[in-house]
Amino acid sequence: LLSKIDDETDIDLSLSALINAALVWTRSRNAMIGRMNDDLGALELTHGAGLDWEGDTTMQRVNISDREGAGIVAYVAARGASFVT
């Protein structure tokens, strides 16, 4: 996988390969890569794979919050700890 990513010149294809591998390795429902935007207080999800991931979306913003109902991604980003169900 690392050599495939290293050989790829398109960063989006590299990140897609990485996220798809993470999905398989972790046996997760979804896997995502995001960048924290401190100015907006939001996590910007740029790449993802899985049952709930919308492939057409180039970027989704998740407001950071540990409030009930904010969602697992928002909780993990706010707390910096995993959420196991």
Side-chain angles (χ1 to χ4, degrees):
L1 176 64
L2 292 178
S3 63
K4 179 181 178 180
I5 291 171
D6 189 45
D7 291 342
E8 181 58 61
T9 58
D10 183 329
I11 188 70
D12 288 325
L13 291 176
S14 292
L15 290 173
S16 291
L18 182 61
I19 203 66
N20 282 305
L23 185 68
V24 171
W25 290 335
T26 62
R27 298 181 186 172
S28 298
R29 181 180 176 95
N30 298 289
M32 296 161 270
I33 294 176
R35 294 182 188 115
M36 184 63 199
N37 184 325
D38 290 327
D39 293 336
L40 296 176
L43 184 65
E44 297 174 339
L45 303 176
T46 57
H47 294 81
L51 296 174
D52 300 320
W53 183 258
E54 298 174 21
D56 296 348
T57 305
T58 54
M59 181 173 46
Q60 298 178 20
R61 282 198 178 111
V62 176
N63 292 325
I64 306 306
S65 173
D66 60 359
R67 289 187 338 259
E68 185 175 334
I72 294 171
V73 174
Y75 178 90
V76 170
R79 295 283 179 108
S82 62
F83 183 91
V84 179
T85 58

